Amino acid sequence: MNSANSSDLPLPTSDESFTTHDGKEPPEEHWEAQDNQTLAAQETITKQHLRKIRSVAASIDAELAIQERIFSLKQALNALAIPFTNELLYHALGVGASSYDDPYDSSTPFLLEEERWLLEGICKFGEFNLVTAEEKLGKTALGIHIAAASLRGESQCLGMPIRQHIDGIIILGPDGNKNEYGKILRREGLLVGTKLDPRVKLFCKGMKMPYFTEKGIAEICRLCSQFKRPLLIPDTLFKCTIPALINPQTKDTSPEYMIPHQNLEQSLQALAPDCVVTEWVCAHSKKGQGTGIQGRMRGTNQGTGDASHIIGINWVTPDSDSARTDFRRQVITDGRDMGDALICELVTDEADGHWICHGNARETMAKESKRQML
């Protein structure tokens, strides 16, 4: 049986191989029989647990060394409070088995899955959306604006179709104080008087909150499980990651920097289909890097490599020595799906404020460049 303090697992011997005598992948009956043996030996492990363990194991990078895969699987299962045995870990990862799938060929239909958007062209549903911008450009505010529109059941936001509707918002906000988040939530109708909308869970600066540690991931999963389609907003990636690093001296340019978030993502994926979590992860970008997205995020490029969708926010007009008078922002997407590009502005006055869209960013920027040349 597992324990958070269990020792390093031994590699399986040749007797523990999961291949048949001819070296081929065991038939499904083999897995079923072994599952039944595991259940008989350990009554606290249910078939639902076994399915979850298999699901988590399938999400772990097969290119990692076996001990790294075992470690990642143990962390994810502990975070989800799923019981397991040491033998079952190897069983789920298929160690010693010929675990290659048959390639796609003409013998079976080749069906493409439809892309799932929360806000079409801007935010992917049920996936890791990485939002990069310099400080105070509205990464969190824009995410909450999109979430609030989806939460209210609206059909559009910023002129784009809302394809999926969430049922909760969880904000991990070590980067902002209570008043800052309160103003944003009030503007979006999620804070009325002193009453916060019951579908919102907010952690802010000064609070003891769950970071991307093993215990923190377990708590984040617990909070997400209270909803069926929550939006999770870590604000920011850097501040939620630093407490989780094994070596506090790890630099944000190191590949190890993204491991805590990778562990979180694996645990969140294991919640499906009962709970489908969309991530809007805020990350500060480097100053003076222009309008490109790839490589602009603070630290390692691993973040942009891990993300399913990347959103970059910039000012339409560059900074100058004088006070800023143009508060329009480019919202440009990149990644596996280019998505869309918009010009947005947060219009504020003493009483209220709201986001408006000025149209397609590429068309607007072409006109802006032509105007500057005249």
Side-chain angles (χ1 to χ4, degrees):
M1 195 58 199
N2 72 305
S3 169
N5 298 319
S6 59
S7 59
D8 291 338
L9 300 175
L11 288 170
T13 65
S14 57
D15 294 335
E16 294 172 310
S17 172
F18 300 115
T19 57
T20 58
H21 69 279
D22 57 1
K24 295 182 179 180
E25 174 75 16
E28 184 59 34
E29 292 81 3
H30 169 89
W31 298 116
E32 184 69 23
Q34 191 153 348
D35 286 353
N36 290 335
Q37 290 174 10
T38 302
L39 291 174
Q42 184 51 258
E43 294 181 356
T44 58
I45 300 177
T46 66
K47 286 195 174 184
Q48 185 177 10
H49 287 141
L50 293 173
R51 287 194 294 270
K52 288 286 188 181
I53 292 170
R54 285 252 190 94
S55 175
V56 177
S59 70
I60 294 174
D61 187 354
E63 298 299 320
L64 294 174
I66 180 57
Q67 289 296 355
E68 291 182 86
R69 294 167 65 199
I70 290 289
F71 178 76
S72 296
L73 181 56
K74 284 175 63 179
Q75 274 206 320
L77 297 178
N78 282 328
L80 295 168
I82 296 177
F84 58 86
T85 63
N86 289 355
E87 180 184 9
L88 186 56
L89 296 179
Y90 291 107
H91 172 64
L93 290 169
V95 177
S98 175
S99 55
Y100 297 110
D101 292 326
D102 291 332
Y104 289 109
D105 58 27
S106 59
S107 64
T108 56
F110 191 78
L111 303 176
L112 299 178
E113 294 183 2
E114 184 178 352
E115 292 295 339
R116 298 191 302 175
W117 294 99
L118 193 156
L119 180 64
E120 186 166 306
I122 301 297
C123 181
K124 296 291 286 292
F125 176 72
E127 299 192 35
F128 169 20
N129 298 271
L130 178 66
V131 191
T132 74
E134 294 180 12
E135 295 184 24
K136 307 305 179 186
L137 257 76
K139 299 181 289 295
T140 307
L142 182 60
I144 294 175
H145 178 70
I146 294 169
S150 175
L151 202 59
R152 290 192 294 266
E154 296 181 8
S155 60
Q156 287 192 341
C157 179
L158 302 173
M160 305 300 292
I162 294 176
R163 298 302 187 188
Q164 300 285 345
H165 291 94
I166 62 171
D167 60 355
I169 306 173
I170 301 164
I171 304 170
L172 306 177
D175 208 43
N177 62 45
K178 184 178 179 181
N179 285 345
E180 290 171 332
Y181 288 115
K183 289 177 182 178
I184 297 172
L185 294 168
R186 178 172 287 125
R187 181 169 67 229
E188 301 299 343
L190 299 174
L191 174 62
V192 179
T194 60
K195 187 172 179 59
L196 195 61
D197 190 294
R199 297 168 293 181
V200 175
K201 308 291 184 183
L202 169 65
F203 293 93
C204 54
K205 186 183 294 184
M207 296 176 66
K208 185 177 181 181
M209 68 185 72
Y211 295 111
F212 298 164
T213 61
E214 185 174 337
K215 288 184 178 179
I217 289 173
E219 178 62 12
I220 292 168
C221 289
R222 187 190 71 80
L223 291 167
C224 288
S225 297
Q226 296 177 22
F227 306 101
K228 292 185 176 180
R229 295 181 164 200
L231 181 77
L232 175 65
I233 306 180
D235 182 21
T236 59
L237 175 65
F238 179 79
K239 290 194 175 179
C240 289
T241 297
I242 289 299
L245 294 173
I246 296 175
N247 179 3
Q249 302 303 316
T250 300
K251 296 182 179 180
D252 56 7
T253 53
S254 167
E256 286 76 21
Y257 174 71
M258 288 301 297
I259 289 177
H261 181 268
Q262 291 166 358
N263 292 334
L264 169 67
E265 191 174 11
Q266 289 171 3
S267 296
L268 294 178
Q269 290 172 354
L271 297 177
D274 299 327
C275 173
V276 179
V277 183
T278 301
E279 289 187 87
W280 180 274
V281 181
C282 301
H284 291 324
S285 62
K286 304 170 187 176
K287 290 185 178 293
Q289 295 296 311
T291 58
I293 297 177
Q294 294 285 358
R296 289 179 59 247
M297 191 189 84
R298 175 177 183 171
T300 178
N301 289 338
Q302 183 68 44
T304 53
D306 287 354
S308 297
H309 198 57
I310 309 164
I311 303 101
I313 306 175
N314 301 289
W315 295 117
V316 169
T317 54
D319 289 330
S320 63
D321 294 335
S322 58
R324 174 168 292 281
T325 57
D326 183 358
F327 294 94
R328 293 175 300 161
R329 297 153 169 90
Q330 303 175 64
V331 180
I332 303 176
T333 62
D334 198 355
R336 299 183 182 97
D337 302 284
M338 285 295 289
D340 222 312
L342 306 174
I343 297 292
C344 301
E345 185 176 5
L346 180 58
V347 181
T348 61
D349 54 40
E350 292 183 0
D352 200 358
H354 60 282
W355 287 88
I356 60 174
C357 181
H358 293 292
N360 184 279
R362 295 181 177 90
E363 295 174 1
T364 302
M365 292 308 295
K367 293 178 182 177
E368 183 68 23
S369 296
K370 185 176 181 179
R371 183 189 67 79
Q372 291 179 4
M373 293 174 62
L374 296 177

